[in-house]
Amino acid sequence: MAESSLPVWLLDSKEEITNSKEWNDFLQDLYDAIEQQLRESRISSFSDLSVSEQKLFVEKATKAICEGPTHAELFKRVSKSLDRQLNNEVSRQLLEDSPVSTKNDLLIGNTQDGIVSLLKKWPDMRSKLTALFNQSLSDSVRPVAWKTFLENGKVRKKYLQALDLRPQSVISPLDRRISRTLEQLVNSEPNFDDLQGSAGVVSAMRSILSYHHLVNCPSAEILPDAFFYILLPFVLLEIPNISKGEKPSSRIVAQLVEQYFAFLSSLPTFINELINGRQDDQIRTFSKRVANFLHQLSPSLSSPR
């Protein structure tokens, strides 16, 4: 991803920061910390290290100085620069002949654009999204965040290869039953209201759930409704990219298969057991621990009503 694809206000912030005294002071401390590591490791030159070793040295040096004064001053400088450049960009947009958004909307929109561009350029920065924990992500940020967290190229490649070789090989023997269950949910459950009249999105869900049953639980005689509900947020996000009256492209279905499978694999074992309707000692033990914890916090909350 080219640097020019970053928002102008971010590029201006970068230029301002990298030309600042705070940045140069931070770099000097970083160089000194790396030099100290080299001396302690009896290595004559940083270039003698492999790329992975160089990265490790830089990460260790950065961690060593991140609590120091130069890092704190740099953090202040970065915050001030981002705030100033973002507000400059919003002010410029407000001076346009016919601005259609409020200042607050523009601040939020430009910030989201910055987050998306940074995630695309540096996917490893997804860990920074923990700052938004328990907050609703915007429609522009959510797909990029999910893509970086739920990436699994092997799953996507396997699905596409099977689809290309023999389309029937990605369809479960329970495909018709899955289709009927999905139709019932669309017609009766409020959470599925957005799928009404959108045959393309329903087709995508059916394909994903059918392949999920085939690969992940082929011996199951039914597919629990929980799997339908878990998939729903993923397909709702793709509604703008799926034609209402036509089958979705294999690219979109493969992307959803990838994200759905990755999410399911990240669930704790006892959650998967519950979804599949299996109760074992591990689940009962966990449930008792949760109940005891709730009782300690609030006896009235945990007591039966």
Side-chain angles (χ1 to χ4, degrees):
M1 180 178 179
E3 189 173 86
S4 58
S5 61
L6 295 173
V8 173
W9 65 270
L10 266 182
L11 293 175
D12 290 343
S13 295
K14 176 187 175 184
E15 183 177 0
E16 180 181 330
I17 293 164
T18 53
N19 289 327
S20 69
K21 177 181 181 299
E22 291 85 354
W23 175 253
N24 290 325
D25 290 345
F26 175 78
L27 286 183
Q28 186 59 57
D29 278 6
L30 182 63
Y31 294 151
D32 291 344
I34 293 174
E35 284 293 333
Q36 182 178 347
Q37 288 185 72
L38 292 173
R39 288 193 298 271
E40 292 174 352
S41 303
R42 300 182 183 278
I43 299 173
S44 58
S45 174
F46 187 72
S47 59
D48 292 338
L49 300 172
S50 66
V51 174
S52 60
E53 289 172 334
Q54 290 178 353
K55 183 178 179 181
L56 184 62
F57 266 58
V58 172
E59 289 178 351
K60 187 176 180 181
T62 302
K63 186 176 181 180
I65 66 173
C66 70
E67 300 297 333
T70 55
H71 181 270
E73 290 302 314
L74 177 61
F75 186 84
K76 292 179 183 177
R77 182 65 183 230
V78 170
S79 297
K80 289 180 180 179
S81 177
L82 289 172
D83 183 70
R84 178 168 49 253
Q85 295 297 343
L86 176 58
N87 276 283
N88 287 345
E89 175 63 18
V90 169
S91 296
R92 183 192 65 77
Q93 293 175 0
L94 286 172
L95 289 174
E96 293 179 352
D97 292 337
S98 301
V100 295
S101 301
T102 65
K103 181 177 181 179
N104 191 55
D105 290 337
L106 290 173
L107 283 171
I108 294 174
N110 280 282
T111 301
Q112 291 171 352
D113 291 343
I115 292 173
V116 169
S117 62
L118 289 173
L119 282 175
K120 288 181 177 179
K121 185 173 177 64
W122 293 296
D124 288 345
M125 290 186 69
R126 61 182 177 269
S127 61
K128 303 298 182 182
L129 288 174
T130 53
L132 301 176
F133 180 72
N134 211 28
Q135 300 293 320
S136 178
L137 295 178
S138 70
D139 289 343
S140 60
V141 175
R142 189 180 293 113
V144 182
W146 285 2
K147 183 177 180 181
T148 58
F149 277 104
L150 301 173
E151 188 173 17
N152 190 329
K154 290 182 179 179
V155 170
R156 183 177 68 254
K157 183 179 180 181
K158 181 179 179 181
Y159 174 78
L160 288 173
Q161 286 179 339
L163 184 67
D164 289 341
L165 288 174
R166 193 165 67 88
Q168 291 297 318
S169 67
V170 298
I171 299 176
S172 163
L174 291 185
D175 187 66
R176 289 187 178 181
R177 175 178 254 180
I178 290 171
S179 180
R180 288 195 299 270
T181 301
L182 183 56
E183 183 178 352
Q184 291 171 0
L185 290 172
V186 170
N187 292 328
S188 62
E189 285 293 323
N191 290 321
F192 287 77
D193 283 350
D194 290 337
L195 273 60
Q196 292 185 10
S198 184
V201 178
V202 173
S203 174
M205 284 196 75
R206 174 181 176 176
S207 298
I208 297 161
L209 291 166
S210 184
Y211 185 64
H212 160 65
H213 176 264
L214 183 71
V215 173
N216 296 326
C217 47
S219 61
E221 296 182 0
I222 60 171
L223 192 63
D225 288 356
F227 287 113
F228 294 75
Y229 283 92
I230 291 173
L231 177 58
L232 184 59
F234 294 95
V235 296
L236 288 178
L237 197 63
E238 288 296 326
I239 282 182
N241 303 318
I242 300 176
S243 172
K244 286 189 175 183
E246 299 178 4
K247 286 187 176 182
S249 68
S250 58
R251 179 189 63 81
I252 290 179
V253 175
Q255 175 184 307
L256 289 169
V257 165
E258 174 185 13
Q259 294 178 356
Y260 185 57
F261 277 38
F263 181 78
L264 290 177
S265 66
S266 71
L267 295 176
T269 302
F270 68 88
I271 295 293
N272 275 312
E273 295 290 333
L274 284 172
I275 291 173
N276 285 287
R278 294 191 292 269
Q279 297 281 345
D280 59 14
D281 291 339
Q282 183 183 10
I283 295 174
R284 293 190 181 93
T285 300
F286 176 80
S287 299
K288 288 180 180 178
R289 289 176 60 190
V290 172
N292 290 334
F293 180 71
L294 286 175
H295 184 73
Q296 292 174 14
L297 289 177
S298 174
S300 62
L301 179 66
S302 62
S303 62
R305 296 182 183 275

